[in-house]
């Protein structure tokens, strides 16, 4: 059965140039050429395109392309390794979400800290905050260098002053750090909290996050089925 680029493109609402680009990048097997030099595709090319498009929601465009190039290059083990990495990342993202939800449940609303010195209402210094958490001040300074917390400076003394919002972020960072999360992960979570305006509005963001992970997990099932069918057709 001979297929033209437009035949493959029309099924998915793509341009014929996109089909040609996928072939040139190795996502589709190489097409045969007619006597006049036109590309001639077969059902296996249509199957490869359907498989690639099914893998994108599961693994992302770049990884889906890498998987298809590996399969078309008879490097099935490499394709499976890439899939394993995606599953590992999804599991890690799910654990992070669960830890964030647990940390937020245990996070008391930020209270106004008692002034450390007269004339410094609404803030606390690094020493009392570190003692409250049972950590060293050096840990808080490390978190500041990593961009997790950016306390203001007292204009008279130059000391760090942590606002109630800073204290909330420090408590959340402390709980996530105890859960084994890296500083980069924690920074992303804190940014979500700040953009949402606090832990309470973040609940909607967390639900959307969970929905995305669920959708990706189901897409992985769909992509796996399509890839299994494609691998089977190549071995026939």
């Amino acid at each position: 059965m001979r297929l033209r680029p437009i035949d493959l493109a029309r099924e998915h609402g793509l341009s014929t140039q996109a089909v040609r680009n996928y072939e040139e990048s190795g996502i589709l097997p190489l097409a045969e050429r007619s006597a006049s030099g036109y590309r001639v595709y077969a059902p296996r090319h249509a199957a490869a395109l359907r498989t690639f498009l099914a893998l994108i929601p599961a693994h992302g465009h770049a990884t889906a392309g890498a998987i298809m190039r590996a399969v078309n290059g008879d490097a099935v083990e490499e394709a499976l390794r890439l899939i394993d990495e995606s599953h590992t990342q999804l599991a890690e993202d799910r654990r992070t979400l669960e830890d964030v939800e647990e940390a937020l449940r245990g996070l008391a609303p930020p209270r106004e800290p008692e002034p450390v010195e007269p004339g410094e209402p609404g803030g606390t210094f690094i020493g009392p905050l570190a003692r409250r958490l049972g950590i060293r001040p050096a840990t808080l300074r490390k978190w500041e260098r990593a961009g997790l917390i950016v306390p203001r400076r007292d204009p008279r003394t130059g000391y760090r002053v942590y606002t109630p919002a800073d204290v909330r972020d420090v408590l959340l960072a402390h709980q996530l750090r105890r859960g084994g999360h890296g500083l980069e992960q924690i920074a992303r979570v804190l940014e979500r909290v700040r953009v949402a305006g606090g832990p309470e509005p973040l609940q909607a963001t967390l639900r959307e996050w969970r929905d995305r992970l669920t959708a990706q997990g189901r897409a992985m099932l769909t992509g796996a089925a399509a890839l299994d069918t494609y691998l089977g057709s190549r071995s026939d």
Side-chain angles (χ1 to χ4, degrees):
M1 182 177 179
R2 297 161 64 89
L3 299 172
R4 301 164 300 166
I6 188 62
D7 297 322
L8 272 66
R10 187 180 290 126
E11 179 183 352
H12 306 286
L14 299 173
S15 67
T16 55
Q17 185 59 52
V19 173
R20 288 191 288 268
N21 290 343
Y22 291 150
E23 181 200 343
E24 291 172 1
S25 66
I27 291 171
L28 306 184
L30 287 175
E32 296 180 1
R33 296 280 181 159
S34 67
S36 55
Y38 290 108
R39 288 176 170 85
V40 178
Y41 292 114
R44 64 191 180 99
H45 295 94
L49 182 57
R50 284 193 292 269
T51 302
F52 170 63
L53 295 176
L55 290 170
I56 291 175
H59 305 281
H61 195 282
T63 300
I67 291 170
M68 292 303 297
R69 281 189 288 272
V71 169
N72 292 329
D74 294 324
V76 176
E77 289 296 324
E78 172 62 13
L80 296 178
R81 184 189 66 78
L82 291 168
I83 292 170
D84 289 343
E85 287 183 354
S86 283
H87 280 281
T88 299
Q89 184 60 58
L90 179 61
E92 178 62 27
D93 290 345
R94 198 179 299 282
R95 282 192 295 269
T96 298
L97 171 61
E98 292 169 353
D99 287 346
V100 170
E101 289 174 330
E102 180 64 28
L104 289 176
R105 281 194 291 270
L107 187 63
R111 66 176 187 272
E112 290 287 337
E114 297 180 1
V116 178
E117 291 183 1
E120 291 295 341
T124 187
F125 290 153
I126 192 169
L129 181 57
R131 287 194 295 273
R132 174 179 172 182
L133 296 176
I135 61 178
R136 297 179 302 160
T139 299
L140 290 175
R141 288 193 286 269
K142 179 180 179 180
W143 291 357
E144 181 180 346
R145 289 193 299 271
L148 271 63
I149 315 293
V150 185
R152 65 180 177 87
R153 294 280 184 159
D154 178 83
R156 293 185 295 106
T157 64
Y159 293 159
R160 295 169 175 83
V161 179
Y162 295 84
T163 66
D166 293 330
V167 172
R168 175 204 66 202
D169 291 348
V170 167
L171 292 173
L172 183 54
H174 181 53
Q175 288 176 293
L176 292 174
R177 198 77 177 107
R178 290 174 61 187
H181 295 288
L183 297 183
E184 290 185 3
Q185 277 184 311
I186 295 172
R188 290 194 293 270
V189 171
L190 293 179
E191 182 61 25
R192 286 176 180 265
V193 173
R194 293 174 187 131
V195 169
E200 292 75 20
L202 185 62
Q203 296 305 320
T205 300
L206 293 178
R207 285 193 295 272
E208 292 174 2
W209 188 0
R210 181 175 291 281
D211 289 344
R212 285 197 300 272
L213 295 181
T214 299
Q216 184 182 1
R218 295 195 63 176
M220 284 182 170
L221 296 176
T222 302
L227 182 60
D228 184 59
T229 299
Y230 181 58
L231 288 171
S233 67
R234 285 172 51 84
S235 62
D236 290 343

